[in-house]
Amino acid sequence: GCNCASPNEPQDRAYLFVRDGPMPAGPKNVAVLGSTGSIGTNALEVIAASDSRLRAVALTAHGKLGRLLEQAKRFKPRWIVATDEAAARKFDWSSLDPETELLVGAERLLDVVAAKEVDIVLAAIVGSAGLRSTRPNVRVNSRFVTGRGPVAL
């Protein structure tokens, strides 16, 4: 039988972009958009278990800012993006490592996705926001993979 979700059930989806061309030697830099959700959290566990072959270079969240801060402390990314500007202004970021840059606002996802340091983008963001934020990556000759459920990097 089909293991398909009904049209009324929410579906976990992730979009994975890998830059074409030669990959740099050493760890691959991964941007996890929606790192606090189920797919993003699973992706971070894969990164943690990768024996340093993968590195979380950017983490993003909309509403779970406490969890985003915890992830930033553990993975020490170059950037974190809090897309909910009002919530980000109210949140206490004082324990964020000074080496991690806090970016605020949904438009800042585009900056992270377009950064030349990012080799792989995992967009685990609900709805069309995930695709909108990855559009710049498509323009830089990316391979595109889509899936439902946990995505193995």
Side-chain angles (χ1 to χ4, degrees):
C2 177
N3 186 15
C4 303
S6 77
N8 298 329
E9 292 180 36
Q11 298 180 14
D12 289 341
R13 286 200 188 274
Y15 300 91
L16 182 68
F17 295 86
V18 181
R19 291 188 193 270
D20 277 340
M23 288 290 243
K28 306 307 177 251
N29 291 327
V30 182
V32 182
L33 312 186
S35 66
T36 61
S38 60
I39 293 174
T41 300
N42 286 331
L44 289 176
E45 291 308 315
V46 171
I47 291 170
S50 74
D51 293 327
S52 300
R53 291 186 307 257
L54 300 171
R55 178 178 181 271
V57 70
L59 305 175
T60 79
H62 184 73
K64 300 176 185 172
L65 302 183
R67 185 176 296 173
L68 179 63
L69 182 59
E70 291 171 17
Q71 291 174 340
K73 289 177 182 179
R74 178 177 177 199
F75 289 93
K76 303 190 183 325
R78 177 168 179 193
W79 304 284
I80 61 170
V81 181
T83 60
D84 183 335
E85 293 181 45
R89 279 193 298 271
K90 296 175 188 173
F91 191 78
D92 179 9
W93 298 104
S94 62
S95 63
L96 183 64
D97 186 315
E99 297 293 313
T100 297
E101 182 180 357
L102 171 64
L103 306 174
V104 176
E107 71 282 354
R108 301 308 302 267
L109 293 172
L110 301 175
D111 297 335
V112 167
V113 167
K116 65 181 180 177
E117 298 92 332
V118 175
D119 301 312
I120 300 169
V121 175
L122 174 64
I125 300 175
V126 176
S128 62
L131 286 177
R132 276 196 311 271
S133 61
T134 54
R135 200 173 295 143
N137 204 295
V138 174
R139 292 189 195 120
V140 293
N141 292 332
S142 302
R143 289 189 307 260
F144 172 71
V145 180
T146 181
R148 182 183 304 155
V151 174
L153 299 175

